Amino acid sequence: TDLVDQILVADSERRSSISAFEALRAEQKSLGKEVARAKGDERTALLERKRMQEQRLQRQRELLWRVSLSSERTFLRPCE
């Protein structure tokens, strides 16, 4: 059925988005630990990487929000 297919696709997109967000979040935490240990030029370079990572994480967070909202609309759609 068409509705079931839409729900499965929406759920798959939501799960994929969650996985990508969690991977970026883990990377951000790891990078934060590296920054804390680093000194000098290495620290400066890591801080720049961390800043770029935070931007990617924010974009992924926004995508996750949109995908989740879309999924909820699909899941809550009345049967026809």
Side-chain angles (χ1 to χ4, degrees):
T1 66
D2 192 40
L3 180 58
V4 172
D5 290 341
Q6 289 176 8
I7 289 172
L8 291 173
V9 168
D11 186 54
S12 176
E13 289 174 351
R14 184 184 63 81
R15 288 174 187 260
S16 176
S17 188
I18 288 170
S19 293
F21 176 79
E22 288 174 348
L24 285 171
R25 183 71 179 115
E27 187 180 327
Q28 181 189 38
K29 287 182 177 184
S30 176
L31 195 52
K33 291 176 183 178
E34 288 181 49
V35 168
R37 291 189 300 263
K39 304 249 188 271
D41 290 341
E42 181 185 10
R43 181 177 173 87
T44 302
L46 286 171
L47 285 170
E48 179 59 24
R49 274 185 53 203
K50 187 172 185 282
R51 185 186 65 77
M52 292 181 348
Q53 172 67 13
E54 288 169 352
Q55 291 174 350
R56 285 194 304 272
L57 185 63
Q58 181 60 33
R59 286 192 300 272
Q60 186 62 39
R61 181 179 288 121
E62 291 166 1
L63 176 62
L64 176 57
W65 183 82
R66 287 192 305 273
V67 167
S68 294
L69 184 61
S70 176
S71 293
E72 286 179 21
R73 287 182 181 147
T74 301
F75 297 152
L76 297 176
R77 194 168 133 202
C79 294
E80 299 170 354

